[in-house]
Amino acid sequence: MGPISVGHPPQMLLLLWVSVSVTAASGGGPGGGSVQFLALGDWGGVPDPPFVTPREVATAAAMGRAAEELGADFVLALGDNFYYDGVRDEWDPRFQDTFERTFTAPGLRSLPWFVLAGNHDHNGNVSAQIAYGQRSPRWHFPHPYYSLRLSLPGTNSSARLLLLDTVLLCGGTDDFTSGPVNGPGPGPGPGAAPTASAQLRWLQRRLSAAAGDRFVLVAGHYPLWSAGEHGPSECLYRSLRPLLRRNRVTMYLSGHDHNLQFLWEGGVGYVVSGAGNFMEGSKRHGGDLPPGSLRFFYGAPSSPGGFVHVRLEPEAATVTYLEATGRILHREVLPPRGV
């Protein structure tokens, strides 16, 4: 696929098989001089008419307002894109009902979505979600795991965003029944050990290649740390956490638990953004977290949903949690790597 316009004409993406280059506008407008995006997980409606939930509709509208007011170059979709059993094929009407006809706010119409799969997507046909990228100018899902290179405008600095398939890494269970990370955890994913090992080798190579990037972000559906209903993942604790720490990753973004959280552990920020369709206030795994790591948690059952806005500037990465009402719930500022 050739160059794709993103937002204003100066913004261009080059979509390769598993590598994407993103250049944001170099000035003017909200967030000029930065790269920024909206992160949304667990947003995929329901399988019965009208195929959306009130929270998804409210969150979609609020994302459009945030894109116009704060600025956004793209949307990061953190999995569970179609509840409860994914899609059947690339012609499945759920693409239209749950995605195309819902995220229609003016601020979203020109934004590309970079997509990864969650466990509910693996209940259906993930290959169909990948193929749908050939039919929609907004939907970009070139491979189960892939890399985005983010150029910070007006500087020689860059950032890297690595999108993973944590179901292929850790299994398709809907619930991590272990609780603490020293429990049994989920089993091996589809394809078992060879598939997981190949993805981890790819991740190690990409992290090594990103040594000079000012920020490195990793995204997957399952959280590594979470106070919520699913809790921490022993699988990711074993396989992913050492890589995040050793390579000075700025943040790990995930969904799966249906709330908003920020945790800080071992020099890495952990962003949970799973409030696009449901809201759960449970903190049943709060006692399974490293002491003092949970800095923010929001899962009010009465809330109309929420999402995250991330801004990358040479001097800082700013993570802003927004409710679908437009209310700012929390903000974290993270330093560049090595600072």
Side-chain angles (χ1 to χ4, degrees), residues 7 12 15 35 38 64 100 124 141 145 164 166 174 184 204 211 221 227 236 240 245-246 257 269 290 297 318:
M12 301 295 290
L15 180 60
V35 170
L38 305 173
E100 301 284 4
F141 193 176
Y145 47 92
L164 305 180
T166 55
D174 188 42
Q204 290 169 337
H221 181 64
L236 295 180
L240 186 59
R245 291 165 61 103
R246 184 164 63 244
D257 268 324
F297 182 100
T318 302

Side-chain angles (χ1 to χ4, degrees), residues 39-334:
L40 173 72
D42 303 80
W43 54 273
V46 287
D48 300 308
F51 306 107
V52 294
T53 65
R55 281 196 182 91
E56 185 191 357
V57 172
T59 300
M63 288 171 62
R65 293 191 296 269
E68 291 184 315
E69 295 169 7
L70 301 177
D73 298 301
F74 61 92
V75 176
L76 173 63
L78 292 165
D80 281 0
N81 310 314
F82 300 100
Y83 283 99
Y84 292 97
D85 295 312
V87 295
R88 296 187 307 272
D89 54 39
E90 63 188 280
W91 307 99
D92 196 308
R94 290 294 304 280
F95 285 111
Q96 300 301 315
D97 295 327
T98 301
F99 173 59
E100 301 284 4
R101 296 192 188 112
T102 302
F103 294 89
T104 57
L108 295 179
R109 289 174 189 163
S110 63
L111 296 186
W113 285 54
F114 293 103
V115 182
L116 58 83
N119 51 296
H120 285 279
D121 302 308
H122 274 280
N123 288 344
N125 187 346
V126 173
S127 295
Q129 292 196 35
I130 292 174
Y132 185 70
Q134 302 299 314
R135 301 189 57 229
S136 171
R138 295 202 290 172
W139 185 272
H140 302 288
F141 193 176
H143 191 265
Y145 47 92
Y146 58 103
S147 172
L148 293 171
R149 186 178 185 273
L150 312 173
S151 299
L152 304 186
T155 75
N156 293 323
S157 300
S158 60
R160 183 71 61 173
L161 172 55
L162 304 173
L163 289 79
L164 305 180
D165 190 319
T166 55
V167 179
L168 295 180
L169 277 177
C170 294
T173 178
D174 188 42
D175 290 282
F176 295 134
T177 57
S178 62
V181 293
N182 60 358
T195 300
S197 296
Q199 186 173 180
L200 287 174
R201 288 194 301 271
W202 173 88
L203 178 59
Q204 290 169 337
R205 291 194 300 269
R206 291 293 86 212
L207 289 172
S208 297
D213 288 314
R214 198 155 183 83
F215 302 99
V216 175
L217 292 68
V218 178
H221 181 64
Y222 291 153
L224 197 159
W225 295 116
S226 171
E229 186 69 21
H230 296 97
S233 163
E234 183 196 6
C235 167
L236 295 180
Y237 181 86
R238 293 192 315 263
S239 63
L240 186 59
R241 180 174 174 267
L243 294 176
L244 301 182
R245 291 165 61 103
R246 184 164 63 244
N247 291 279
R248 297 175 295 120
V249 167
T250 308
M251 70 181 82
Y252 174 72
L253 301 102
S254 66
H256 199 47
D257 268 324
H258 299 159
N259 41 55
L260 301 169
Q261 303 179 50
F262 182 83
L263 305 96
W264 179 261
E265 188 269 330
V268 179
Y270 291 90
V271 175
V272 177
S273 179
N277 203 51
F278 308 107
M279 265 289 191
E280 296 173 355
S282 169
K283 296 172 72 173
R284 65 177 288 200
H285 289 288
D288 300 328
L289 303 176
S293 60
L294 182 62
R295 292 187 178 180
F296 167 71
F297 182 100
Y298 185 74
S302 60
S303 171
F307 57 97
V308 166
H309 179 274
V310 177
R311 175 176 294 157
L312 303 177
E313 300 168 290
E315 65 276 11
T318 302
V319 183
T320 302
Y321 292 78
L322 295 115
E323 192 173 43
T325 58
R327 181 166 62 113
I328 294 176
L329 299 169
H330 185 71
R331 180 169 283 147
E332 291 281 343
V333 179
L334 308 181

